[in-house]
Each structure stands twice: as C-alpha cells, then as structure tokens.
C-alpha cells in the first residue's frame, strides 16, 4: 500500500459501487455486530467500562510526553532500542537501517496499520528485502496489491473464488474455492517463512508505559510467530498506542475483542517486554520499538479533535456505519476507513488530500453509540467540516471560494425575515415549470443531484397565512433568570472485578468455555494422566513432541510416558527448525481464566515459547492453583515477568468469507486437562 | 397552571409541510397548551453548522436565541434534528460562559421535539386519534441518538385506535438524508434510501411514520421512485386523524 499523496475523491470512489462490495462487507459486519451485541448483553458494567476507558485514554494523552519518556526508559533498561520517528519517511529509514545492520533478507510482518500508514513494505521491497505479510487477510491483499478494506478483516471484499484465482495466479497453486483449503495453503507457505525470516516486524495494539511492554492482539498465531522466531523484532506503533499502566490496559482489553468481533477475548494476546532473556526461552535476541508521530502530536494539540487519538482500532464504528456498509473500505482512500477514517485521515493527511472525508457521513451517530472509548465522532466530523469550509488554527480553508460565497448568500436570505418570506414566495413561482403533481421530479444542477435519486417535494408554504389571526405572535416577558444546574459526575469509576464461584464451578466454567471454542477440555485425575496421554498420542498420531520442564510435569511422568510410546522428545536447545518438526507441545498453564476459557503462559528457559506455538497439537495441563477469577489478577501477577501469552482456544481465522478455519499459524488442536 | 409553548416551525416544514404545522398547532391547542407563533423566525442555522459554515450559522443562531429566548415558554418543534441542534450545538457557537452561551443553555432545557413534549412534559399518550391502518416507524437519527428518544413516538402510536404497529427491520439505521450529505454524495445517500425503502416494503406496513421532515422528504421520494403505494407520514399528521 503506497502512502496517499493525491486527493481522495470519495464521490468518484462511490459513484458506481459494484453490488458485491456492500454484499461482502455487510456479511462480515452484520456477523461482528450480532456477536458484539451478545457480548455487550452479558456485561452489566459495559457503560462503566466505556466511560473508564474514555477517561483513562484521554488522561494518558494529557501526559503523553511523560509516558513516552517512561516507555523509553523501560525499553532501554531492558536492553531494547527505542527510536522516535517524526514522520513516515523517518520511520522507513529507521527500519531500513536496522534491516541493513542485520543483513536482513526476509521480513515477516504481523498486521500493523501503522506500517500500512507509512507504506513500509514498499520501502523494504525497494531495497531488495522480501517483506511478507502473515496475517491471512493481509497476506491475501498483499498478493492482490491493494490496501486493507476493514481494520479487522482486511480482505472482506474478496470472495473465495477470487482468492482461489489469486493464489493460482500469484502462487502457482491450483486450489478449490474452499476457505479452509486456501487458509491451509497460506499457512503452509508461511510456516517456512516464519522459521527462516531474519526479522519480524509487528505493530502494537498497546504499549504499556509501566514496563515498556508491547501488547499484540490476534486470532491467528502469526503475531506470536513473528515475535518469537526471528532473531530481531521491530515493533512499529503510533505514540497514541501508549497506555500508562497494566490496570488501564485491563480495562481496554475487556472492551477490544468484544467490540471488534464479539469474541470475549482474541485467541492470542501476547505481552512482549523486550528481547528474550535466554536462548532457551525463545523470542527475539534484539528488540526495537519505533514510535511514530506522523501528525499525531498535531492532532493532540487540537483540543476539539484530540479524542481521535484514543481509538483502540476495534472497527466497531465501521461495522455499524451505513455509509461504510454501502461503499466498503477502499472508497475512503487511505489506510483507515469508516467513521474513524473519516476523522483520522483528514488530520493525518491534511485537507488538501482528504477534504471530502469529513463530509462522507450523514451524521447519524451510530458510531458514537458503539465506540468502546466514546470518541465523539460526529462532533469531530463537524469540527473538521468547519476546517474545510472556513479554515481554523490548524489549516486554511480548502473549500472552493464559490461554495463559501454561496453559503453567505443563502445564510443572508434565510436570516433576514423579509428576504426569507420573499424567497419563499418566489420559490412557489419559480418551481412551476418543474412541478408534476405534488412534486418536482427533475431540477436543474446542482439540485439534480437530489432529483436523480428521487423527487423533491413542491414548495407549499401556507402555515404562516393560516396562523395569522389564529395563533398569537408571542409575548415577550422579562426572561426569568434560570439557574444553570450542571451535574458533574465526580465519582471515580470503579470497575469491580469478577467474583469467582466455587473451585469446582470455576473448573467447569473453564472447561465449558474452552470447548465452546473448539478446544478439547476435561478433568483428568492425576492417576489417569499417563493413560490419557497415551490415548492422545495415538489419536493424534504423535511421533515427536516438545515439553516444558516443571516440577509437576516431571512428577506426572510426562516425559517417561511419551518415551514409552516411542515418541521422540525434541530438546528445547535443538533450535527452532528442529522444534518445528514436533507435532505435540506440552505445557503447564501458569494461569487459567474460567470466564473466557483463557490460559496464561509465561516463558523462560524451562518454558520455551515455541512449545505452545509450533506444533499442531498443544496440550496444556492446568492445576486448580492456576485458576484466577479476573483478567486483572493475571495481569497484575504477570506484569513484571517480561513475557506472557494468553491463549483462548486453537488458532483461527475468518478472513476468507467469514468462514472459520482453525490452525492458522498456531496449533490446530488445543487439549486442556484440568488436573485433580 | 397553563403550559405555554412557542411553535418552532423549522424552515423545511415551513416550506414543504404546512399541514403538519397546522396539525401541530391544533393538537397542542386541543391539549390545553397556550401556543404562540413568533413570526420573525426563519432558520436556526443547523444546515449551515452541519456543513461547516459556522460563521454563517452563528448569526442565525443568535437571532433564534433572541427570538425564542425572550419568552420563558417552552419551544416545541416537529423536527428532532433541529431540536438536537439547538440543545447540543447552538450553545457552543458562543464563547463559554458568555451571556449568549448561558442564555442558550437555559433555552435548550425547554426546547422539545413534539413527541417528546407530549409524552415527557404533558405526560399524554392518547390524543383520541383513530387510524385503522398498518403502520411502521422509522427512528430518525437525531431524535433517537441526539435526543435519546427511544419509545415516545411508539407509545403515541400504540395509543391510536385501531392502528396496527408492525416492526421495521433496521428501524434505527439512517435513511440516508443527512442534510447536505444527500446532495454531496447522492449515490451513497440513494443506496441508504433504497435499503430503507426495501425494509419498509418488507414490513408489510401501509404507512411509514417518522418525526423529521428531512427523513420524510427522502423516504417519501424513495417510495415514490420505487413505485410503492406505501405512504410516508409525519407522526403529527397521523395523530390528527380522527
């Protein structure tokens, strides 16, 4: 995707929208909305969360300089490198330098709107570096040579037939138009790339200033692959991604997936704090964070528009917007589309390029209702319209002079009661040639823009005549002094954490939630572990396995059982390519969250990250002591650990025609045994 | 104590829906409201404000404020979008805490859209109307989201004798009018209008009711263009049926 530098013509882009676009778009957005509604219905404190999220995000903006300094300190403290990129050009240069320093030939990328914004892939390719998008949707549009049409589902506008054709053309494979087959093809192609890439580039859904932690939210395992396997990890993110604390992060994580796709939590949430601490742990050896400004500070200075920056990129506003649903994402011309695009693009790109976008809205306000951080999108649209038409402290007017003169004349005609009445009576006469019964079916330019679509009603003022003598003109009184009662809610919003049920209930809940997501979870007695494992090995045809080292896994004789079945145990210092040959990975969960069916896994020399990522089957054993009632507890305990991944079900994608496919870049099968 | 209300007729209704305004005057009078009609009213400034012409909107808003603010009576209007404007945007046209700003905020508190005035101020839902027709309701955006009107209109409709109220799929989805939007991006506006028309046809209703002249102009035009026999009516006109 190239940087937008020519004016975005929204009118031209939407004059002839092929029906396939609204059809495909609405198929995706309606599914997301239905699921979102179900999640919102389950959360009695949803409005409290939204308000808290809005307030904390705005508060963070007010302290952005301090937070940036804190991120810098925390990243450097841990041996990472931080870079500040004022604009797209600088950002590209920085990444290229890092690539050159490490003689990088291949880069694997996980989804990042920021890297789209700066057209990074193009710059890498120009230097002879292969830059491979690994999120299935992004991989597809990269092959197609276009930008994303939706924040969450970039390839939403393509049919499975279109994608099959694309694969045939660009990859030389003949594939049936079956989403699962197509996803598998992409998955297999990309696995080798992950293992051999020299550098992984990610974005960041959030950056936690408290510890300099990059948070990645994905459903596919590509984000994990990109940040676990290559030796160098570069994260590129806008400065608006910074959140001050892990507590603040918790609020946002509760809102993000629910708002985006209607999942309680995405399949994988990774918390990456710098480089790996030992080779055995796995992860990048060198960590770089590129903080991108690219116009964000300028937006921040504009008090009326600064809330644009609190967006958490969920895409809910796109899903609910009738304009977006009729025209699709590409009509908006830039990286960002839908309502957020209509306010962000004009501020990042300037009005010379994006002046049509603030008008690409009927101001219906549906977006305002669903935004998880309560961005007053319609207010900001109005503010930007004023910037286009009249200019303000940020930009001079960019609307044509004729429009402004016309508006002045119209305003005068409407303001002066005499002119208003004369105008009205004139209209009754002027309309006569165009009158057909009760309506004006075709009018001259520019009003033909209306009548080309539907008839205009006839002018028929008659009320004022009627009112004379029937309704009093109105009396003037001494305007009574009304005291203004403004109610301010000073109450500090306290988001109460979830209270756990009994241990047995919690275990049942964990199992139910995991099974609902196509995992295979059950209770297993300690004494049964051996038998269960033998059964699994046979069922899943396991020949090679990886496992974590822990007291309990040793006590449960996991290694012995595997060897007894003739399964080769690949040692964790064998290197990633060797490890990638294993079909089964066995871990012991550090945390388990029954509410969402989530497992929390830390990492260390004894607990390499690849064990739960590379094999097609992941078996996680969970003891009751790992159970936690609320996400907040897990994050509080894990925050100083350096790395955490939250795993909720097998890896998945719905990027091809919203068809669910498991096992894309991560384990296809997740077994969870709750040990009693 | 008699409730007094000034009629804020809005430029669209003034030019295109005089009967609706007559009905509004008659209904309010019948309900014992002492109405007045400040003749010098023209436009509140919303169309200019919504298009970014804030400097043009301001003098119109000032005139509106001076005219309607001179009387401490309620202000009642047949348009949700105009009331949303005077409540939530007009005050901010003036510097914070200025005399105009303070007066505008005070006036905003007593400005009402018709259905909300009836149900929330007069506490009336049954006007004795009779309308033995199958009706569906389109929720205009500014009335719904700007003014938080979730069920006032429907409560009034349910009290109408012999009226059958049927649900409208995507009732709360914008019809595509959006003021200047309809002429700036006519194709998108038209697509939204067509979707609304399809939903109205699918509802099985004989009449679709809305509380905003802009929506009605758009929907009526759309139904006509689609060759439909379904009528688009303002709630006020329906409530005047006996």
């Amino acid at each position: 995707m190239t940087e937008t530098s020519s004016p975005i013509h929204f009118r031209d882009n939407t004059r002839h929208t092929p029906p396939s676009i609204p059809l495909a778009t609405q198929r995706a957005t309606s599914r997301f909305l239905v699921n979102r509604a179900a999640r919102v219905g389950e959360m009695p404190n949803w409005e409290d969360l939204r308000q808290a999220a809005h307030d904390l995000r705005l508060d963070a903006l007010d302290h952005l300089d301090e937070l940036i300094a804190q991120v810098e300190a925390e990243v450097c403290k841990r041996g990472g490198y931080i870079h500040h990129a004022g604009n797209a050009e600088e950002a590209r240069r920085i990444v290229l330098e890092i690539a050159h320093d490490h003689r990088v030939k291949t880069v694997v990328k996980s989804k990042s709107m920021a890297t789209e914004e700066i057209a990074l892939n193009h710059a890498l390719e120009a230097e002879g570096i292969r830059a491979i998008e690994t999120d299935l949707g992004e991989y597809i549009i990269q092959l197609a040579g276009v930008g994303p049409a939706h924040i969450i589902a970039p390839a939403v506008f393509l049919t499975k037939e279109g994608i099959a054709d694309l694969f045939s053309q660009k990859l030389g494979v003949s594939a049936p138009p079956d989403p699962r087959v197509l996803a598998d093809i992409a998955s297999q192609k990309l696995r080798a790339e992950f293992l051999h890439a020299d550098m992984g580039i990610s974005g960041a859904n959030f950056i936690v200033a408290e510890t300099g932690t990059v948070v990645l939210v994905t459903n596919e395992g590509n984000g994990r692959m990109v940040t676990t396997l290559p030796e160098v990890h570069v994260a590129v993110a806008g400065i608006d991604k910074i959140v001050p604390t892990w507590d603040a992060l918790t609020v946002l994580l509760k809102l993000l997936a629910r708002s985006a796709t209607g999942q309680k939590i995405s399949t994988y949430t990774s918390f990456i704090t710098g480089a790996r601490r030992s080779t055995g742990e796995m992860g990048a050896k060198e960590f770089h964070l590129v903080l991108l400004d690219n116009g964000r500070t300028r937006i921040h200075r504009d008090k009326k528009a600064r809330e644009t920056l609190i967006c958490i990129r969920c895409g809910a506003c796109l899903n609910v917007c009738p304009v977006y649903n009729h025209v699709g994402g590409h009509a908006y011309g830039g990286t960002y589309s839908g309502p957020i695009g209509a306010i962000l693009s004009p501020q990042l790109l300037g009005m010379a390029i994006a002046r049509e976008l603030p008008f690409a809205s009927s101001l219906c306000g549906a977006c305002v209702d669903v935004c998880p951080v309560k961005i007053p999108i319609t207010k900001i649209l109005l503010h930007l319209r004023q910037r286009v038409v009249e200019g303000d402290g940020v930009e001079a007017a960019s609307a044509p002079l004729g429009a402004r003169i016309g508006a002045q004349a119209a305003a005068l005609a409407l303001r002066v009661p005499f002119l208003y009445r004369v105008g009205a009576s004139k209209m009754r006469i002027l309309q006569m040639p165009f009158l057909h019964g009760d309506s004006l079916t075709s009018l001259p330019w520019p009003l033909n823009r209306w009548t080309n679509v539907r008839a205009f009603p006839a002018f028929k003022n008659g009320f004022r005549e009627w009112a004379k003598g029937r309704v009093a003109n109105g009396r003037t009184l001494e305007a009574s002094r009304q005291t203004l009662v403004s109610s301010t809610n000073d109450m500090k919003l306290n988001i109460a954490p979830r209270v756990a049920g009994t241990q047995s209930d919690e275990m049942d809940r964990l199992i139910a939630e995991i099974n609902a997501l196509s995992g295979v979870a059950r209770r297993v007695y300690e004494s049964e572990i051996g038998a269960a494992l033998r059964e699994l090995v046979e069922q899943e045809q396991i020949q090679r396995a990886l496992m974590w080292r822990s007291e309990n896994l040793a006590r449960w004789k996991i290694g012995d059982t595997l060897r007894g079945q003739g399964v080769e145990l690949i040692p964790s210092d064998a290197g990633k390519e060797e490890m990638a040959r294993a079909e089964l990975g066995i871990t012991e969960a550090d945390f388990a969250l029954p509410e969402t069916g989530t497992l929390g896994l830390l990492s260390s020399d004894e607990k390499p990250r690849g064990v739960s990522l590379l094999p097609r089957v992941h078996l996680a054993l969970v003891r009751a002591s790992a159970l936690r009632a609320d996400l907040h507890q897990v994050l509080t305990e894990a925050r100083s650990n350096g790395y955490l991944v939250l795993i909720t079900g097998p890896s998945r994608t719905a990027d091809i025609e919203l068809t669910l496919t498991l096992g894309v870049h991560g384990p296809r099968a997740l077994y969870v045994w709750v040990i009693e | 104590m008699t409730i007094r209300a000034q009629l804020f007729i809005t430029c669209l209704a003034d030019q295109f829906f005089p009967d609706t305004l007559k009905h509004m005057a008659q209904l309010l009078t019948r309900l014992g409201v002492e109405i007045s009609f400040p003749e010098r009213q023209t436009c509140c400034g919303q169309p200019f404000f919504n298009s970014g012409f804030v400097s043009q909107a301001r003098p119109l808003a000032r005139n509106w404020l001076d005219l309607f603010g001179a009387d401490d009576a309620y202000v009642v209007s047949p348009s949700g979008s105009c009331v949303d404007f005077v409540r939530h945007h007009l005050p901010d046209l003036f510097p914070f805490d200025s005399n105009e700003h303070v007066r505008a905020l005070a006036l905003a508190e007593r400005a009402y859209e018709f259905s909300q005035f009836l149900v929330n101020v007069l506490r009336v839902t049954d006007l004795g109307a009779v309308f033995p027709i199958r009706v569906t309701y389109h929720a205009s955006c500014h009335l719904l989201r700007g003014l938080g009107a979730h069920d006032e209109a429907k409560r009034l409709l349910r009290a109408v004798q012999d009226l059958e109220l049927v649900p409208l799929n995507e009732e709360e989805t914008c019809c595509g009018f959006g003021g200047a939007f309809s002429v700036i991006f006519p194709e998108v506006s038209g697509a939204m209008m067509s979707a609304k028309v399809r939903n109205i046809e699918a509802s099985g209703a004989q009449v679709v009711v809305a509380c905003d002249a802009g929506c009605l102009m758009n929907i009526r035009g759309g139904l006509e263009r689609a060759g439909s026999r379904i009528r688009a009516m303002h709630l006020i006109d329906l409530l005047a049926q006996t």
Side-chain angles (χ1 to χ4, degrees), chain A residues 11 362 364 369 385-386 389-390 407-408 414-415 420 449 451 454 458 460-461 464 472-473 475 477, chain B residues 4 14-15 18 34 37 39 41-42 50 53-56 70-71 145 174 183-184 187 189 218 225:
Chain A
R11 172 91 201 280
S362 66
C364 80
D369 281 352
R385 289 180 185 193
Q386 185 184 12
V389 157
E390 300 187 335
Q408 265 166 0
L414 284 173
R415 186 171 75 241
Y420 177 88
R449 282 171 164 229
T451 54
R454 30 70 189 99
K460 42 159 118 147
N461 33 43
R464 290 171 184 267
N473 189 1
R475 44 177 163 150
L477 296 173
Chain B
R4 296 183 308 106
D14 190 6
Q15 300 308 319
E34 189 186 306
F37 170 57
E39 273 173 4
Q41 67 184 278
T42 57
N50 280 356
F53 293 99
V54 177
S55 313
Q56 269 68 47
D71 186 342
R145 296 188 187 90
C174 181
V183 292
I184 299 176
E187 292 82 11
S189 169
N218 183 38
R225 199 49 66 100

Side-chain angles (χ1 to χ4, degrees), chain A residues 452-466:
Chain A
N452 282 344
V453 181
R454 30 70 189 99
F456 200 75
F459 282 83
K460 42 159 118 147
N461 33 43
F463 175 73
R464 290 171 184 267
E465 276 296 314
W466 179 90

Side-chain angles (χ1 to χ4, degrees), chain A residues 299-565:
Chain A
I299 299 176
H300 180 231
R301 273 192 235 116
D302 179 0
K303 285 215 157 56
K304 284 192 176 168
R306 71 162 43 159
E307 281 156 298
T308 309
L309 296 175
I310 70 178
C311 173
I312 61 175
R313 305 284 192 267
C314 71
C317 59
L318 275 68
N319 296 336
V320 85
C321 176
V323 173
Y324 174 83
N325 273 299
H326 281 290
V327 303
H330 290 148
Y332 292 78
T335 306
Y336 307 100
S337 58
I340 186 65
I343 59 173
L344 184 55
S345 293
Q347 296 185 79
L348 289 179
L349 303 170
M351 291 307 183
I353 293 172
R355 67 165 163 268
E356 292 196 23
L357 291 184
F359 293 89
S361 161
S362 66
L363 297 176
C364 80
C367 51
V368 175
D369 281 352
V370 299
C371 177
V373 290
K374 297 178 89 161
I375 302 173
I377 297 174
T378 47
K379 274 214 170 104
I380 298 174
L381 283 166
L382 288 164
H383 172 67
L384 294 175
R385 289 180 185 193
Q386 185 184 12
R387 178 173 302 168
V388 172
V389 157
E390 300 187 335
D392 59 10
V394 177
E395 279 194 73
S398 43
L401 186 60
R404 279 176 276 160
I405 294 175
Q408 265 166 0
L412 188 65
L414 284 173
R415 186 171 75 241
V416 178
F418 171 72
L419 290 178
Y420 177 88
R421 285 195 298 271
V422 164
S425 62
K426 283 269 179 310
M427 294 316 283
R428 270 201 309 265
I429 299 166
L430 286 172
Q431 74 177 345
M432 283 181 178
F434 306 99
L435 208 50
H436 275 96
D438 212 15
S439 46
L440 307 167
T441 45
S442 80
L443 288 171
W445 185 90
L447 292 169
N448 65 340
R449 282 171 164 229
W450 175 280
T451 54
N452 282 344
V453 181
R454 30 70 189 99
F456 200 75
F459 282 83
K460 42 159 118 147
N461 33 43
F463 175 73
R464 290 171 184 267
E465 276 296 314
W466 179 90
K468 273 196 195 353
R470 284 193 179 84
V471 186
N473 189 1
R475 44 177 163 150
T476 60
L477 296 173
E478 295 299 311
S480 52
R481 299 233 136 238
Q482 296 217 10
T483 44
L484 276 168
V485 179
S486 58
S487 60
T488 40
N489 194 347
D490 285 319
M491 201 165 54
K492 197 116 179 93
L493 283 160
N494 227 329
I495 308 296
R498 175 180 170 267
V499 174
T502 64
Q503 189 175 95
S504 186
D505 285 345
E506 290 290 278
M507 285 160 110
D508 285 341
R509 178 78 188 267
L510 180 72
I511 288 166
E513 292 285 338
I514 294 172
N515 287 333
L517 291 166
S518 310
V520 181
R522 62 187 178 99
R523 295 190 194 220
V524 174
Y525 285 109
E526 265 194 7
S527 53
E528 291 177 348
I529 292 177
L533 186 53
R534 282 189 287 274
E535 199 186 324
L536 184 133
V537 162
E538 205 176 299
Q539 219 175 317
E540 292 284 355
Q541 301 179 309
I542 307 295
Q543 295 181 302
R544 290 166 290 261
L546 301 166
M547 60 179 275
W548 276 10
R549 290 195 298 283
S550 83
E551 222 181 272
N552 289 317
L553 290 174
R555 196 160 53 80
W556 294 326
K557 300 212 181 339
I558 303 288
D560 290 341
T561 309
L562 289 171
R563 275 184 286 266
Q565 293 291 103

Side-chain angles (χ1 to χ4, degrees), chain B residues 66-88:
Chain B
D66 289 343
L67 184 66
F68 285 94
D71 186 342
D72 66 358
Y74 287 101
V75 176
V76 180
S77 170
S79 162
S81 63
C82 302
V83 173
D84 178 47
F85 171 72
V86 304
R87 275 220 187 144
H88 299 125

Side-chain angles (χ1 to χ4, degrees), chain A residues 9-90:
Chain A
H9 295 295
F10 192 80
R11 172 91 201 280
D12 288 345
N13 294 345
T14 57
R15 279 185 106 126
H16 305 287
T17 307
S20 56
I21 300 248
L23 216 68
T25 305
Q26 287 169 39
R27 187 198 292 134
T29 59
S30 57
R31 173 96 62 95
F32 292 151
L33 286 174
V34 163
N35 292 341
R36 174 191 170 276
R39 298 293 80 77
V40 171
E42 291 162 358
M43 310 271 288
N45 62 346
W46 183 257
E47 289 302 321
D48 289 341
L49 280 170
R50 288 180 76 208
Q51 189 61 48
H54 169 268
D55 295 344
L56 69 89
R57 284 287 277 163
L58 209 55
D59 190 65
L61 279 187
D62 285 341
H63 300 106
L64 196 51
D65 286 339
E66 288 163 43
L67 292 174
I68 292 175
Q70 195 181 6
V71 171
E72 184 159 355
E74 293 297 319
V75 168
C76 292
K77 189 159 96 184
R78 291 170 175 80
Y81 298 89
I82 192 147
H83 313 265
H84 299 280
N87 58 31
E89 156 88 65
E90 275 176 47

